Amino acid sequence: MLTNLSKKKLEQQGYKFTGDHSTTKICHWTKNDLTKGSPCYKNKFYNIQSNQCAQMTPNMFCSNLCDFCWRDIPTGNNIKMNKIDNPDEIIENTIKEQLKTISGFGGNNNLDKEKFKQAQTIKHFAISLTGEPTLYPKLGELINKLHKRKISSFLVTNGQYPEAIEKLEKTNSLPTQIYLSLDAPTKELYFDIDKPTLKDFWERFTKTINLFNKIKNRTRTVLRITAVKNRNMCNEKDYAELIKKADPKFLEIKGFVLLGPSIEKLTFENVPSHKEIKEFA
């Protein structure tokens, strides 16, 4: 009953279930690109076509309860992997739900018809919707099947499961690009802002940092800092040490935005200005 109520609540929020524990949800920037010609920053940084990108996850559970997260973590954490979703079905259902959702844009007066035509072919999977995707036991199989379809994969991880990334490397299943959320420069600050549920969270995270250095020549590696004013925009030298250890291809610093459940934990005082983000960078 609890799972059914959670699914209903998530569906009301726009999530489309693509399996028992897999979901997709059309991204704001996909809609924006179709109607306003304004794509996601990833278009400029990484050449992702927002109108052809599907945002999804094969797992909704997350071991961190980050203060700045705009996702409904408590509800998502009720969705368990009692039955493991099939990778082919996840892919097919994600594409099906994406095309079904964007079909409604056909009558929009602001629609870019050429981009709408392109959007009928999905080119990118952003495996980052919610939850921690590296917990999905068939993640490598999912990624390989995407690549066989000429669909690129962009995986976001909190770094709490380094063994899953090691498995991707050993089975030649690394994604096109992998992001690691670098939310804090020290163990104490990580505990304060990420609210990890695993006791050895810092050891796990730093192991993933070292793994990034190991795989950097086999995939595009990105460290991503969500900058929260008065919380984690500090200890620059400690950040620098972690960045040096990972030696990523890219470093992203983006400002926290007060959205979703984060409004219960943070305020507008935690939203940095662009000037403050640049100074921190």
Side-chain angles (χ1 to χ4, degrees):
M1 179 61 74
L2 187 62
T3 298
N4 290 337
L5 289 174
S6 296
K7 284 189 174 183
K8 186 175 181 180
K9 184 179 178 181
L10 290 164
E11 286 170 343
Q12 290 172 343
Q13 295 174 20
Y15 290 88
K16 309 290 185 182
F17 277 84
T18 54
D20 284 348
H21 52 76
S22 308
T23 57
T24 184
K25 183 179 182 180
I26 191 165
C27 178
H28 162 80
W29 293 106
T30 299
K31 296 184 284 187
N32 225 45
D33 198 22
L34 287 171
T35 57
K36 299 178 183 178
S38 178
C40 169
Y41 77 91
K42 296 185 185 75
N43 176 255
K44 194 168 193 176
F45 282 22
Y46 311 119
N47 200 33
I48 292 178
Q49 311 309 309
S50 298
N51 61 322
Q52 296 178 283
C53 182
Q55 179 185 226
M56 55 78 67
T57 184
N59 165 55
M60 301 199 72
F61 176 85
C62 189
S63 57
N64 285 355
L65 307 172
C66 303
D67 286 346
F68 57 82
C69 188
W70 59 90
R71 303 302 189 193
D72 189 348
I73 302 175
T75 303
N77 278 4
N78 282 320
I79 310 299
K80 309 298 184 190
M81 284 189 284
N82 298 318
K83 174 188 172 186
I84 304 302
D85 291 342
N86 179 283
D88 283 309
E89 291 179 4
I90 291 176
I91 295 169
E92 288 293 339
N93 290 336
T94 298
I95 293 172
K96 176 185 173 183
E97 292 295 343
Q98 174 96 338
L99 297 182
K100 186 191 298 183
T101 302
I102 65 173
S103 66
F105 285 82
N108 191 307
N109 293 330
N110 297 318
L111 180 71
D112 184 320
K113 292 183 179 179
E114 182 57 33
K115 286 196 172 184
F116 182 68
K117 182 181 178 181
Q118 293 170 355
Q120 306 308 308
T121 302
I122 306 299
K123 291 179 63 176
H124 317 286
F125 263 45
I127 310 174
S128 63
L129 175 58
T130 189
E132 176 50 44
T134 59
L135 280 169
Y136 175 53
K138 295 185 178 181
L139 181 60
E141 192 177 341
L142 174 71
I143 289 171
N144 283 336
K145 287 179 180 293
L146 286 172
H147 294 176
K148 286 180 180 177
R149 290 173 179 241
K150 307 299 182 185
I151 297 174
S152 63
S153 55
F154 292 77
L155 175 69
V156 177
T157 179
N158 62 17
Q160 288 298 298
Y161 301 93
E163 64 276 7
I165 298 172
E166 286 178 320
K167 182 180 177 182
L168 293 179
E169 182 203 11
K170 290 175 182 177
T171 57
N172 295 314
S173 306
L174 286 168
T176 307
Q177 184 160 305
I178 182 168
Y179 300 77
L180 173 61
S181 296
L182 177 57
D183 304 328
T186 67
K187 181 178 181 179
E188 292 73 23
L189 285 169
Y190 192 101
F191 183 79
D192 177 63
I193 195 168
D194 275 22
K195 305 294 190 292
T197 59
L198 300 173
K199 291 182 179 180
D200 57 343
F201 65 91
W202 190 245
E203 290 75 18
R204 288 169 173 270
F205 182 74
T206 51
K207 185 175 181 180
T208 301
I209 284 281
N210 291 325
L211 271 173
F212 257 52
N213 195 309
K214 184 179 178 183
I215 64 175
K216 65 186 178 184
N217 294 321
R218 298 185 59 190
T219 183
R220 292 196 305 199
T221 52
V222 185
L223 291 187
R224 185 179 69 179
I225 299 173
T226 298
V228 186
K229 188 176 178 180
N230 302 324
R231 292 296 296 277
N232 67 356
M233 296 174 72
C234 57
N235 295 65
E236 288 85 349
K237 288 184 179 180
D238 293 317
Y239 270 119
E241 286 303 313
L242 293 173
I243 293 164
K244 285 177 184 177
K245 286 180 180 179
D247 193 21
K249 298 285 182 67
F250 302 93
L251 172 65
E252 281 185 21
I253 301 177
K254 65 174 190 174
F256 161 70
V257 178
L258 198 63
L259 290 172
S262 69
I263 64 174
E264 298 172 7
K265 304 170 185 175
L266 300 170
T267 70
F268 277 112
E269 292 183 358
N270 298 116
V271 179
S273 67
H274 188 55
K275 181 175 181 289
E276 288 169 328
I277 296 168
K278 289 173 70 176
E279 288 173 352
F280 176 59

